[in-house]
Amino acid sequence: MFVTLSCEAFSSVILFGSMRSDSQAVGSIINDDSPPSTVPVFNSLPGAVAVAYLDMDGQVVSGTQWAGGGTITATGVVGTLTNAQMLEVCRRTAEDYSPFQINVTTEESVFLAAPSNRRIRCIITPDNEWFGTAGGVAYLNSFTWTGDTPCWVFSDQLSNVPRYIAEATSHEIGHTLSLAHDGRISPSEAYYQGHGTGEVGWAPIMGVGYYKLLVQWSRGEYLSANNTENDLNKITTLNGFGYRVDQVSNSIVSATSLSGSSGSRSASGILEMTGDQDVFSFSTIGGSCSFSALGDADGQNVDVLLEILDETGAVVTSANPDTLTDASVAATLTAGNYFLRVSGVGRGDILADGYSNYSSIGQYTISGNAP
Ligand SMILES: [Ca+2]
Ligand SMILES: [Ca+2]
Ligand SMILES: [Ca+2]
Ligand SMILES: [Ca+2]
């Protein structure tokens, strides 16, 4: 049975010497505070049955299909990464998995308490020598195996940069959830590095996510994609967990009130599924109103469309900057009841430098003012 070895992900990173000698990246590590002696506690969805455990404190692995069943003694990244850097890895990975009923955790006790066919241990370690040069490696579908066969992320192969480690972590866990690589037919390549620039530079999580800022799940909509598997559908139907429940109505009829009744207003939430809309209500005595909707501060997956609607649901004003992923709206409103609607959108030509709204999902926060 479990003979399908997903090829080493991100082996291409090894070809990019500039990444490994990036003085900025090295400097950011050296300049940080003294390394901690323990991994910080992190749970993205406490209580979820399904668990992705980021094991950063070292692990001895034996009796698995790795290394022919032999013993692998992997050191951790505690002492190499700072507390803040380990938490950044957690937050970035958690953003990729925020639409789903899965807890990204750093607590081994949480992992051990989960059903063994609803969990994965992802070992983040500098010790890749037993395997070879790669950013990470995983067995396809191993999330639903029983026992404790981990997937791997090799931190020093990733220059110990939290963003790269997090991209590899989401990617390797993606393999364990049954996802294959996103490459291209022409040119023939196993890993697509993406397209576009700046905040809207896009790449698929199951390709190479290191070089772009907007790294999303994919169904192979880009030009010459070699893999049209529906990542979201596979994740949520093959692994014993599904999407998180949408907490905020798509309709003005049952909108959720923004926090704050006058002046400062706020809310936060998740766009869980393709096309989800979250509608919030607010009232004003009239005057100058302004709101911003920001995606996740570290690993934003949402390109936000933000709209103010009047009490009939008609759009008063909207914002979706073409080259930015956050959005802000402002309007002088007469006294009354209004709505703020958050959506995830695509951009431009999906066969050129754009993307669809397919995986424009994830966490957001709203803040603003209305008198
Ligand atoms: Ca461990
Ligand atoms: Ca939602
Ligand atoms: Ca909704
Ligand atoms: Ca935009």
Side-chain angles (χ1 to χ4, degrees):
M1 46 193 209
F2 310 131
V3 293
T4 306
L5 175 65
S6 171
C7 64
E8 64 278 19
F10 296 126
S11 59
S12 59
V13 73
I14 303 308
L15 304 175
F16 292 83
S18 61
M19 173 177 288
R20 304 185 67 185
S21 59
D22 184 332
S23 60
Q24 293 269 30
V26 172
S28 71
I29 294 162
I30 292 170
N31 292 339
D32 268 297
D33 296 332
S34 299
S37 56
T38 57
V39 176
V41 173
F42 181 91
N43 287 281
S44 66
L45 187 60
V49 172
V51 168
Y53 168 44
L54 309 193
D55 185 340
M56 297 191 277
D57 67 357
Q59 186 67 14
V60 177
V61 174
S62 62
T64 73
Q65 294 185 60
W66 296 117
T71 298
I72 303 164
T73 302
T75 54
V77 291
V78 176
T80 303
L81 300 188
T82 65
N83 218 298
Q85 289 174 318
M86 286 189 279
L87 284 172
E88 183 183 344
V89 170
C90 294
R91 288 195 305 267
R92 287 179 174 279
T93 306
E95 166 67 358
D96 290 335
Y97 288 93
S98 66
F100 316 125
Q101 292 272 5
I102 185 171
N103 183 12
V104 175
T105 185
T106 58
E107 294 194 278
E108 186 173 48
S109 60
V110 172
F111 168 80
L112 293 174
S116 74
N117 62 349
R118 294 288 183 277
R119 67 184 192 184
I120 190 69
R121 178 194 298 265
C122 181
I123 299 175
I124 301 174
T125 174
D127 297 318
N128 63 298
E129 286 71 17
W130 64 270
F131 177 75
T133 49
V137 66
Y139 277 101
L140 208 57
N141 304 313
S142 54
F143 187 86
T144 55
W145 296 359
T146 54
D148 186 358
T149 299
C151 66
W152 302 84
V153 168
F154 301 125
S155 51
D156 63 347
Q157 300 293 304
L158 300 162
S159 305
N160 293 311
V161 173
R163 183 161 74 87
Y164 303 154
I165 293 171
E167 288 299 340
T169 300
S170 288
H171 177 116
E172 297 307 334
I173 294 172
H175 283 314
T176 76
L177 298 170
S178 82
L179 304 182
H181 283 139
D182 287 331
R184 284 189 293 183
I185 297 166
S186 177
S188 179
E189 62 185 11
Y191 308 89
Y192 182 46
Q193 296 185 16
H195 52 248
T197 58
E199 287 191 13
V200 295
W202 183 93
I205 291 170
M206 299 311 296
V208 177
Y210 304 137
Y211 312 115
K212 303 297 177 186
L213 292 181
L214 189 63
V215 186
Q216 299 180 329
W217 302 110
S218 172
R219 58 183 172 191
E221 297 168 304
Y222 53 88
L223 185 66
S224 204
N226 71 351
N227 178 6
T228 57
E229 70 179 3
N230 186 325
D231 287 1
L232 297 174
N233 187 58
K234 292 188 78 174
I235 290 170
T236 56
T237 59
L238 299 178
N239 297 291
F241 66 90
Y243 287 105
R244 293 200 201 189
V245 176
D246 185 14
Q247 299 289 330
V248 183
S249 174
N250 294 21
S251 159
I252 63 172
V253 175
S254 42
T256 298
S257 293
L258 289 177
S259 298
S261 55
S262 67
S264 172
R265 316 290 178 110
S266 63
S268 62
I270 299 173
L271 299 175
E272 291 91 356
M273 301 179 72
T274 306
D276 183 25
Q277 297 184 318
D278 285 358
V279 181
F280 297 89
S281 61
F282 68 97
S283 60
T284 176
I285 59 171
S288 181
C289 303
S290 61
F291 300 94
S292 294
L294 309 181
D296 184 65
D298 296 299
Q300 178 161 358
N301 282 12
V302 184
D303 184 349
V304 176
L305 165 65
L306 185 61
E307 301 166 292
I308 295 177
L309 314 179
D310 69 17
E311 63 181 354
T312 72
V315 175
V316 174
T317 186
S318 68
N320 168 24
D322 182 47
T323 59
L324 301 176
T325 46
D326 294 333
S328 299
V329 289
T332 300
L333 302 177
T334 56
N337 299 316
Y338 295 87
F339 302 97
L340 201 59
R341 182 164 65 192
V342 182
S343 313
V345 294
R347 172 185 182 268
D349 182 354
I350 59 175
L351 296 176
D353 68 347
Y355 45 85
S356 79
N357 73 337
Y358 169 71
S359 186
S360 197
I361 56 177
Q363 302 169 98
Y364 62 84
T365 55
I366 295 169
S367 60
N369 272 281

